[in-house]
Amino acid sequence: MQSTSSDIVRTRLRRWFAPILDAPDWRSNLVDAQAEQLLNWGLAQVEQTAVRNQHLPDEEANPLLQKNSAAVHLIMAGVNDLIGTIGKPPEFDLVDDVMTRLLKNLRWLTNQPLRPDNLRCVSQFNQARDAKDRDAAFQHLLNLIFG
Protein backbone atom coordinates (compact mmCIF):
# COMPACT_ATOMS: atom_id res chain seq x y z
CA MET A 1 0.00 0.00 0.00
CA GLN A 2 2.82 2.45 0.86
CA SER A 3 4.43 1.77 -2.51
CA THR A 4 1.15 2.61 -4.25
CA SER A 5 0.84 5.90 -2.34
CA SER A 6 4.38 6.96 -3.14
CA ASP A 7 3.86 5.96 -6.79
CA ILE A 8 0.76 8.17 -6.90
CA VAL A 9 2.66 11.09 -5.36
CA ARG A 10 5.62 10.61 -7.73
CA THR A 11 3.37 10.39 -10.79
CA ARG A 12 1.38 13.46 -9.82
CA LEU A 13 4.49 15.40 -8.94
CA ARG A 14 6.06 14.56 -12.30
CA ARG A 15 2.88 15.56 -14.13
CA TRP A 16 2.34 18.87 -12.36
CA PHE A 17 5.89 20.04 -11.66
CA ALA A 18 7.58 19.11 -14.94
CA PRO A 19 5.84 21.91 -16.88
CA ILE A 20 7.24 24.44 -14.39
CA LEU A 21 10.75 23.13 -14.99
CA ASP A 22 10.26 23.44 -18.74
CA ALA A 23 8.98 27.02 -18.56
CA PRO A 24 11.72 29.54 -19.41
CA ASP A 25 10.33 32.41 -17.31
CA TRP A 26 11.18 31.32 -13.78
CA ARG A 27 14.98 31.52 -13.75
CA SER A 28 16.41 33.78 -16.47
CA ASN A 29 17.46 36.50 -13.98
CA LEU A 30 18.75 34.16 -11.28
CA VAL A 31 22.19 32.71 -10.68
CA ASP A 32 22.32 28.93 -10.35
CA ALA A 33 22.32 28.89 -6.53
CA GLN A 34 19.25 31.15 -6.44
CA ALA A 35 17.47 29.09 -9.09
CA GLU A 36 18.17 25.94 -7.07
CA GLN A 37 16.70 27.45 -3.88
CA LEU A 38 13.61 28.64 -5.72
CA LEU A 39 13.26 25.31 -7.48
CA ASN A 40 13.47 23.43 -4.17
CA TRP A 41 10.78 25.69 -2.70
CA GLY A 42 8.48 25.14 -5.70
CA LEU A 43 9.03 21.40 -5.72
CA ALA A 44 8.22 21.21 -1.99
CA GLN A 45 4.98 23.15 -2.50
CA VAL A 46 3.71 20.89 -5.28
CA GLU A 47 4.89 17.79 -3.43
CA GLN A 48 2.97 18.82 -0.30
CA THR A 49 -0.19 19.13 -2.37
CA ALA A 50 0.42 15.74 -3.97
CA VAL A 51 1.01 14.09 -0.58
CA ARG A 52 -2.00 15.79 1.07
CA ASN A 53 -4.27 14.59 -1.72
CA GLN A 54 -2.79 11.19 -2.52
CA HIS A 55 -5.92 9.46 -1.21
CA LEU A 56 -8.14 11.31 -3.70
CA PRO A 57 -8.87 9.95 -7.16
CA ASP A 58 -7.23 11.84 -10.03
CA GLU A 59 -10.42 13.66 -11.00
CA GLU A 60 -10.55 15.27 -7.54
CA ALA A 61 -6.82 15.72 -6.95
CA ASN A 62 -5.90 17.13 -10.36
CA PRO A 63 -7.78 20.45 -10.00
CA LEU A 64 -6.02 21.03 -6.66
CA LEU A 65 -2.65 20.16 -8.14
CA GLN A 66 -3.34 22.32 -11.18
CA LYS A 67 -4.23 25.32 -9.00
CA ASN A 68 -1.22 24.96 -6.73
CA SER A 69 1.27 24.26 -9.52
CA ALA A 70 -0.04 27.30 -11.43
CA ALA A 71 0.37 29.47 -8.31
CA VAL A 72 3.87 28.09 -7.68
CA HIS A 73 4.87 28.78 -11.28
CA LEU A 74 3.53 32.35 -11.11
CA ILE A 75 5.32 33.00 -7.81
CA MET A 76 8.59 31.63 -9.16
CA ALA A 77 8.24 33.75 -12.31
CA GLY A 78 7.43 36.78 -10.15
CA VAL A 79 10.57 36.31 -8.06
CA ASN A 80 12.59 36.02 -11.27
CA ASP A 81 10.97 39.17 -12.71
CA LEU A 82 11.60 41.17 -9.54
CA ILE A 83 15.26 40.16 -9.47
CA GLY A 84 15.41 41.21 -13.13
CA THR A 85 14.50 44.79 -12.16
CA ILE A 86 17.67 45.21 -10.10
CA GLY A 87 20.22 47.49 -11.72
CA LYS A 88 17.70 48.87 -14.18
CA PRO A 89 16.24 52.36 -14.03
CA PRO A 90 13.46 52.35 -11.43
CA GLU A 91 10.07 51.65 -12.90
CA PHE A 92 8.13 51.58 -9.68
CA ASP A 93 4.83 50.88 -11.38
CA LEU A 94 6.37 47.72 -12.86
CA VAL A 95 8.00 46.68 -9.59
CA ASP A 96 4.83 47.39 -7.62
CA ASP A 97 2.71 45.52 -10.16
CA VAL A 98 4.95 42.44 -10.11
CA MET A 99 5.12 42.50 -6.31
CA THR A 100 1.34 42.82 -6.07
CA ARG A 101 0.89 39.82 -8.37
CA LEU A 102 3.45 37.82 -6.39
CA LEU A 103 1.60 38.56 -3.13
CA LYS A 104 -1.78 37.70 -4.68
CA ASN A 105 -0.40 34.42 -5.99
CA LEU A 106 1.06 33.65 -2.57
CA ARG A 107 -2.40 34.16 -1.04
CA TRP A 108 -3.88 31.98 -3.78
CA LEU A 109 -1.36 29.21 -3.05
CA THR A 110 -1.71 29.25 0.73
CA ASN A 111 -5.40 30.14 1.03
CA GLN A 112 -4.30 32.33 3.94
CA PRO A 113 -4.30 36.07 4.49
CA LEU A 114 -0.92 37.69 4.10
CA ARG A 115 1.18 37.84 7.25
CA PRO A 116 1.86 41.23 8.86
CA ASP A 117 5.62 40.82 8.39
CA ASN A 118 5.15 40.55 4.61
CA LEU A 119 5.32 44.34 4.40
CA ARG A 120 8.67 44.25 6.19
CA CYS A 121 9.98 41.72 3.63
CA VAL A 122 8.70 43.88 0.76
CA SER A 123 10.37 46.96 2.26
CA GLN A 124 13.62 45.06 2.77
CA PHE A 125 13.48 43.82 -0.83
CA ASN A 126 12.97 47.39 -2.06
CA GLN A 127 15.93 48.63 0.01
CA ALA A 128 18.17 45.86 -1.33
CA ARG A 129 16.90 46.55 -4.86
CA ASP A 130 17.77 50.24 -4.48
CA ALA A 131 21.24 49.24 -3.24
CA LYS A 132 21.55 46.88 -6.25
CA ASP A 133 22.24 44.00 -3.84
CA ARG A 134 20.85 41.07 -5.82
CA ASP A 135 21.71 38.48 -3.17
CA ALA A 136 20.01 40.35 -0.33
CA ALA A 137 17.01 41.17 -2.52
CA PHE A 138 16.63 37.50 -3.42
CA GLN A 139 16.87 36.44 0.23
CA HIS A 140 14.14 38.92 1.19
CA LEU A 141 11.90 37.50 -1.54
CA LEU A 142 12.59 33.99 -0.26
CA ASN A 143 11.69 35.13 3.27
CA LEU A 144 8.46 36.49 1.81
CA ILE A 145 7.44 33.26 0.09
CA PHE A 146 8.79 30.84 2.70
CA GLY A 147 6.50 32.32 5.30
Side-chain angles (χ1 to χ4, degrees):
M1 188 71 159
Q2 181 64 23
S3 173
T4 304
S5 293
S6 59
D7 289 345
I8 290 169
V9 169
R10 238 186 335 273
T11 299
R12 289 178 176 173
L13 189 57
R14 207 171 20 253
R15 176 173 182 201
W16 293 105
F17 196 70
I20 295 171
L21 287 175
D22 295 339
D25 62 346
W26 71 268
R27 70 150 298 149
S28 59
N29 297 311
L30 305 176
V31 297
D32 288 345
Q34 293 170 336
E36 185 176 339
Q37 289 178 29
L38 191 58
L39 183 66
N40 288 337
W41 172 83
L43 180 62
Q45 299 306 306
V46 177
E47 185 175 31
Q48 286 174 16
T49 303
V51 168
R52 261 194 321 271
N53 298 291
Q54 65 186 326
H55 63 283
L56 296 176
D58 284 345
E59 59 271 5
E60 292 178 40
N62 284 342
L64 300 169
L65 285 155
Q66 181 179 20
K67 172 200 168 279
N68 282 11
S69 63
V72 163
H73 177 238
L74 292 169
I75 291 166
M76 290 171 67
V79 167
N80 181 64
D81 290 346
L82 286 166
I83 294 299
T85 67
I86 297 172
K88 294 185 177 170
E91 295 179 44
F92 289 104
D93 290 343
L94 172 67
V95 173
D96 289 344
D97 181 54
V98 174
M99 183 62 78
T100 298
R101 283 186 284 129
L102 185 137
L103 292 170
K104 284 181 178 182
N105 287 316
L106 191 57
R107 279 189 67 197
W108 186 39
L109 174 67
T110 62
N111 293 318
Q112 305 265 330
L114 296 174
R115 297 178 340 269
D117 66 333
N118 283 356
L119 287 179
R120 182 180 47 79
C121 292
V122 170
S123 176
Q124 289 171 327
F125 163 78
N126 286 327
Q127 290 171 7
R129 183 190 178 287
D130 290 344
K132 296 182 177 145
D133 187 343
R134 294 174 69 86
D135 292 333
F138 180 77
Q139 287 308 312
H140 294 305
L141 289 175
L142 282 187
N143 291 341
L144 180 67
I145 66 173
F146 279 11

